[in-house]
Amino acid sequence: MQLRDTPDQLRFREDLRAWLRTVLPTLDPQPSQDDWQARRTYDSHWQALLHQAGYAGLNWPAEYGGRGATPTEHLIFLEESELAGAPYVGVNFVGLLHAGPTLIAEAAPEQRERHIPAILRGDEIWCQGFSEPDAGSDLAALRTRAVRDGDHYVVDGRKIWTSHAEVADFCELLVRTGPADGPKHQGITWLIMPMDAPGVTLRPLMTAGGSTEFSEMILEDVRIPVANRVGAEGDGWRIAMVTFAFERGTGFVAEVVWARRRLAEIAALARENTAWEDSETRRRIARLAAEFDALWALVKRNVSEAEHSAAGIPGPGSSVFKLRFSEARQHLDDLHADVRGRDALAFDDDLCTYDGEPGYERLRSLAYTIAAGTSQVQRNIIGERILGLPKEPSATAPAAGAAKGGAR
Amino acid sequence: MDFRPTQDQRALAGAVRDVLAKHPAPGTPGREAEKGPDPGIGGVDVALWRDLAELGIFGVRVAEADGGLGLGHPESVHVFEELGRALATGPFTATALAAALLPEYAGGRHRVGLGDLTCGNQQTQILEHLDALDALLVIEIVDGETPGVAGHSQVLRVEPIELRADPVPHPVDPRVPLHRLRQKPLRGEIVGDAGTADALLREGALLTAAYQVGIAAVLTERAVAYAKQRTQFGRAIGSFQAVKHLCADMFARAELARAAVHSAAVLLCDEAAGHDGADLPTAAAAVSTAKLLADEAAVANARSAIQVHGGMGCTWEMGLHFFLKRAWALSLAYGRAADHADLISESL
Ligand SMILES: Cc1cc2nc3c(=O)[nH]c(=O)nc-3n(C[C@H](O)[C@H](O)[C@H](O)COP(=O)(O)OP(=O)(O)OC[C@H]3O[C@@H](n4cnc5c(N)ncnc54)[C@H](O)[C@@H]3O)c2cc1C
């Protein structure tokens, strides 16, 4: 049981630090939060730089253009990038953190060749079309239909909360290919949808923070080649579970490092503006530091286990992390607001919404306990999949044994 | 980095668990029906103490040449998590601390207690297991002007029979006999300076945190087992979300606290080795983090375990109250939440 770098890990860390030191000063200033084309350009440029330096798809197998790095090296990458203030994955989130890994695990060779290198270079942006107006936590209730017509599927339905849809080239799309009244977990299929296909209409939605980061996606007679199907028809639920494992496994890890740094800034501000003299405030700050340090230790435990497990797919332990991190993250932003006092009533005048602006972060963090599986759903997952507690009877439960898996 | 427990660490924990299983404490499976307290002299189960001493648990960190196991903090916390799971009762922490300081205690032939007079109200100083002790270490302020400031405390070794102390007639935890000290100043041999005192308190906080993780983890298992087996409304109560979510939160608390304890154990070992690579918290802050989270986890999980067991949970026979009482007491030992929060805030 130890936490120090091996000589190889230390070398990897030092090389990365040196590279970050030379490349970060060459970047343009971050574009404004709502200029999506500019953000796509900025995030793609960063991804291209990572690719040239051999840091793209770090933990992906070398045969798919990755570096075949160990989970620990990947963690070092996330830690050092965040410490150096490097750009976050941004609009590449879906492609790099869950669509890409899902393709590697489940897709046909032609599909991998077509998409994996492009995702790695930053040439291809993906979005996730899973949620629907009537299928959120109960994702398997999804109704978007795909009907076979020769060598195409014809898709009709509505998706919602599709992040970064406006700038995406492809969408990981879950559709119903089985009968509408059949067992809901069967009859779901995972498709690759080109976002420029005729019949795809986007209606932007706005978050509480005023950001237009997600959309409603209306699909009318969209023709998707059967060749774009990943896995077998009707096997989409199982594949979606693989996608979720990746989404929860690595999606938020780097943010612990961010949160810990933010906490040091809050402590500094509190010392400046006398909030520090209130022992309750001071102890709240300390209690959160303890929480983030413990979460970081938990991440290391999970990563060490992943490094030595055969599966390579993150385990359900990531639900513990997601649950506690998302709640701690909201406490962090509330604490920041308390320390700022009435200053917290105004956004930063010029920039209004940008990464790091405390008022904006506070509103953005509302989504942390909702997106990628709500806190209630994470507790169900811990209770049922880790602790083995019995499932709740569901209103539509078919005869015993037919339903498998649960909420997202 | 490889943060998984090693095979040897798991084997040591397994050996301790096997010994503890032979001497079940009241309130733990095997002794549920126990009506009243049945402590040995000074509340110590002497047979259990002897078997654990034979395994070497008091000298885990003592060099092999001095009769110890020559291991480190990561091994110690594995041992203490097992003690907590079994709710083993006795001056385990203090004796292990004393052994790290004075190797003559490594074999566990003597029972050593610890009194920390640097915190709290010295008039109401309370000592545990006094009648079972062969020696008492006391941490006190030398010149008494600024409590807690390094350079002002020292460690004394005191003969327990020379102490004037009154037994507390009704301790809340019936298995831990208490005495109230009514003597000042104490006479004894100086065995350590302020640095030693700090190190003792820090390691004591770590071992106590590990014990609390044991409580938090074993109670999660008991609540989950009960939630699977108990039915109401024709269903196992664990299928109700209100109960399931209590269990999920218990699990999350125990896991997070264990990660914090293991991290603190590793960092405390590495402290001398200096910085290399990863951006890690200081050992002092890591120990405080571990103690804060482990105290919270033990107390909250004891309450939740009682809640999941319903009326049964409130009974003496079910024994869950023993865990809650111990968790409360340990939350006040080796620094309370506020002390550790203050310590962490100094590092921010
Ligand atoms: C910022 C943001 C970005 C997102 N991006 C995407 C994206 O790119 N692609 C995509 O497909 N989706 C995306 N989502 C959707 C997200 O996954 C869903 O919002 C989430 O799964 C919850 O579904 P819902 O909104 O329909 O809420 P509901 O499922 O209707 O939940 C409402 C409330 O009921 C509770 N609840 C529901 N079921 C249960 C249950 N079984 N037990 C206990 N409580 C329950 C929930 O916890 C919640 O409190 C995004 C969401 C947000 C906020």
Side-chain angles (χ1 to χ4, degrees):
Chain A
M1 204 166 80
Q2 44 93 10
L3 291 169
R4 293 196 175 268
D5 291 337
T6 62
D8 282 350
Q9 288 163 357
L10 188 59
R11 198 166 324 114
F12 175 81
R13 189 188 292 277
E14 280 168 354
D15 290 350
L16 174 61
R17 270 185 195 165
W19 180 72
L20 287 168
R21 260 198 307 274
T22 55
V23 75
L24 289 180
T26 70
L27 294 182
D28 291 336
Q30 266 198 33
S32 121
Q33 187 75 5
D34 272 333
D35 187 345
W36 287 99
Q37 284 310 325
R39 284 187 65 175
R40 176 178 172 146
T41 307
Y42 183 86
D43 293 345
S44 300
H45 173 64
W46 174 242
Q47 184 58 27
L49 290 176
L50 287 170
H51 185 252
Q52 283 156 25
Y55 289 117
L58 202 60
N59 55 335
W60 295 9
E63 55 183 309
Y64 302 114
R67 185 166 168 147
T70 63
T72 306
E73 285 168 335
H74 188 219
L75 188 70
I76 293 172
F77 173 80
L78 295 172
E79 182 183 25
E80 290 297 331
S81 303
E82 188 57 55
L83 285 173
Y88 189 50
V89 278
V91 301
N92 288 301
F93 187 94
V94 171
L96 286 169
L97 298 184
H98 50 94
T102 305
L103 292 179
I104 290 175
E106 300 289 343
E110 315 82 69
Q111 292 169 335
R112 290 178 186 148
E113 279 156 33
R114 165 72 189 75
H115 295 288
I116 299 286
I119 292 175
L120 283 181
R121 284 193 308 266
D123 287 347
E124 207 174 278
I125 306 299
W126 281 62
C127 65
Q128 180 186 35
F130 283 16
S131 305
E132 297 183 6
D134 293 324
S137 301
D138 185 11
L139 182 62
L142 64 89
R143 292 203 303 238
T144 293
R145 283 211 56 76
V147 179
R148 192 71 181 257
D149 178 22
D151 53 5
H152 281 76
Y153 287 105
V154 181
V155 177
D156 282 278
R158 275 161 76 203
K159 294 288 173 180
I160 196 165
W161 321 126
T162 319
S163 302
H164 308 145
E166 285 169 77
V167 292
D169 305 303
F170 290 93
C171 175
E172 42 176 23
L173 188 73
L174 287 185
V175 294
R176 184 160 300 283
T177 42
D181 53 358
K184 66 181 182 178
H185 295 90
Q186 295 156 25
I188 293 175
T189 298
W190 206 104
L191 295 178
I192 303 170
M193 179 174 79
M195 291 295 285
D196 59 3
V200 179
T201 312
L202 296 181
R203 206 179 284 159
L205 298 165
M206 201 178 265
T207 68
S211 158
T212 54
E213 66 189 45
F214 50 25
S215 302
E216 182 171 5
M217 197 162 65
I218 294 140
L219 307 174
E220 289 161 313
D221 292 333
V222 180
R223 295 180 69 81
I224 302 176
V226 171
N228 283 19
R229 187 184 71 214
V230 173
E233 189 172 292
D235 199 23
W237 184 252
R238 184 188 62 79
I239 299 171
M241 291 299 124
V242 172
T243 309
F244 287 150
F246 285 112
E247 184 179 7
R248 288 175 196 144
T250 43
F252 305 91
V253 159
E255 296 206 27
V256 183
V257 180
W258 180 88
R260 195 60 176 72
R261 278 201 345 208
R262 172 53 67 94
L263 199 60
E265 286 166 28
I266 296 174
L269 177 65
R271 284 196 161 98
E272 241 171 75
N273 77 5
T274 72
W276 193 255
E277 284 155 31
D278 172 25
S279 62
E280 195 192 314
T281 301
R282 208 171 57 227
R283 286 172 188 158
R284 269 173 73 200
I285 295 176
R287 177 61 188 78
L288 263 181
E291 183 84 10
F292 288 121
D293 282 352
L295 281 163
W296 190 235
L298 187 68
V299 164
K300 288 177 172 171
R301 166 66 38 82
N302 289 345
V303 164
S304 293
E305 271 160 15
E307 183 135 350
H308 297 274
S309 87
I313 295 172
S318 49
S319 286
V320 172
F321 174 78
K322 162 78 163 76
L323 176 66
R324 292 290 289 249
F325 174 73
S326 56
E327 293 180 356
R329 173 59 210 270
Q330 292 175 348
H331 292 156
L332 176 79
D333 295 310
D334 284 347
L335 178 67
H336 201 171
D338 287 352
V339 168
R340 296 176 75 217
R342 292 178 71 83
D343 281 349
L345 297 177
F347 288 118
D348 188 313
D349 279 346
D350 298 328
L351 295 159
C352 192
T353 58
Y354 66 95
D355 283 336
E357 202 283 330
Y360 176 65
E361 289 296 340
R362 189 184 195 190
L363 289 164
R364 197 167 79 90
S365 75
L366 293 173
Y368 275 62
T369 49
I370 295 170
T374 70
S375 290
Q376 287 69 37
V377 166
Q378 300 302 337
R379 288 186 173 90
N380 286 347
I381 292 173
I382 294 168
E384 290 164 17
R385 295 194 214 154
I386 302 182
L387 301 176
L389 290 166
K391 290 180 66 64
E392 252 183 322
S394 122
T396 55
K404 117 169 184 293
R408 65 168 306 174
Chain B
M1 180 191 90
D2 183 357
F3 194 36
R4 293 171 311 156
T6 62
Q7 292 243 312
D8 287 350
Q9 284 158 358
R10 280 187 310 221
L12 176 63
V16 173
R17 190 180 291 202
D18 289 345
V19 165
L20 287 161
K22 286 193 218 125
H23 308 273
T28 60
R31 287 281 292 274
E32 291 96 336
E34 200 81 23
K35 268 283 176 254
D38 177 30
I41 297 168
V44 173
D45 177 341
V46 178
L48 169 65
W49 185 278
R50 192 195 49 227
D51 286 0
L52 287 172
E54 224 157 79
L55 268 185
I57 69 149
F58 298 105
V60 170
R61 294 213 309 112
V62 177
E64 285 178 277
D66 291 325
L69 299 183
L71 301 169
H73 296 292
E75 285 75 20
S76 296
V77 296
H78 275 82
V79 169
F80 274 76
E81 181 175 338
E82 293 302 326
L83 297 180
R85 287 181 61 92
L87 209 65
T89 306
F92 290 102
T93 304
T95 304
L97 296 181
L101 182 63
L102 306 162
E104 63 201 86
Y105 295 124
R109 277 183 306 281
H110 304 280
R111 282 186 284 273
V112 187
L114 190 132
D116 176 10
L117 307 192
T118 63
C119 67
N121 183 343
Q122 299 192 22
Q123 286 352 132
T124 63
Q125 194 60 51
I126 280 182
L127 297 173
E128 298 176 346
H129 300 292
L130 187 62
D131 292 337
L133 299 183
D134 302 299
L136 180 72
L137 296 186
V138 172
I139 299 175
E140 60 167 18
I141 310 283
V142 183
D143 55 10
E145 45 181 14
T146 8
V149 172
H152 289 256
S153 53
Q154 65 181 8
V155 186
L156 285 189
R157 174 161 54 182
V158 179
E159 289 289 332
I161 38 167
E162 287 179 9
L163 278 181
R164 275 179 288 126
D166 304 321
V168 172
H170 305 293
V172 170
D173 181 346
R175 300 185 50 219
V176 180
L178 303 175
H179 282 74
R180 222 181 278 274
L181 189 64
R182 57 178 169 80
Q183 174 187 5
K184 232 191 112 196
L186 297 171
R187 271 190 311 278
E189 171 198 359
I190 298 175
V191 292
D193 59 8
T196 314
D198 282 352
L200 283 181
L201 292 177
R202 188 168 300 164
E203 191 179 343
L206 178 66
L207 296 181
T208 305
Y211 192 105
Q212 297 276 54
V213 167
I215 290 179
V218 80
L219 291 181
T220 306
E221 291 163 26
R222 284 182 65 174
V224 167
Y226 190 75
K228 286 179 183 170
Q229 158 237 314
R230 169 77 176 167
T231 61
Q232 285 292 284
F233 301 96
R235 300 156 53 180
I237 57 166
S239 68
F240 298 117
Q241 276 195 7
V243 173
K244 184 177 289 169
H245 289 190
L246 282 177
C247 295
D249 283 331
M250 291 174 78
F251 180 76
R253 277 188 217 108
E255 287 292 299
L256 199 62
R258 184 185 291 117
V261 164
H262 285 184
S263 172
V266 170
L267 293 171
L268 204 54
C269 266
D270 286 359
E271 197 172 36
H275 182 89
D276 86 13
D279 184 36
L280 298 167
T282 64
V287 169
S288 288
T289 291
K291 182 69 167 44
L292 261 181
L293 293 186
D295 286 345
E296 265 178 34
V299 171
N301 283 12
R303 285 188 185 282
S304 296
I306 288 170
Q307 186 66 24
V308 169
H309 282 76
M312 212 44 172
C314 305
T315 61
W316 189 276
E317 284 81 358
M318 182 51 71
L320 294 169
H321 63 102
F322 286 118
F323 288 89
L324 178 60
K325 292 165 178 172
R326 192 66 52 82
W328 276 337
L330 294 180
S331 304
L332 302 176
Y334 299 98
R336 301 159 309 146
D339 303 322
H340 288 291
D342 287 345
L343 228 144
I344 292 170
S345 73
E346 280 162 27
S347 72
L348 284 167

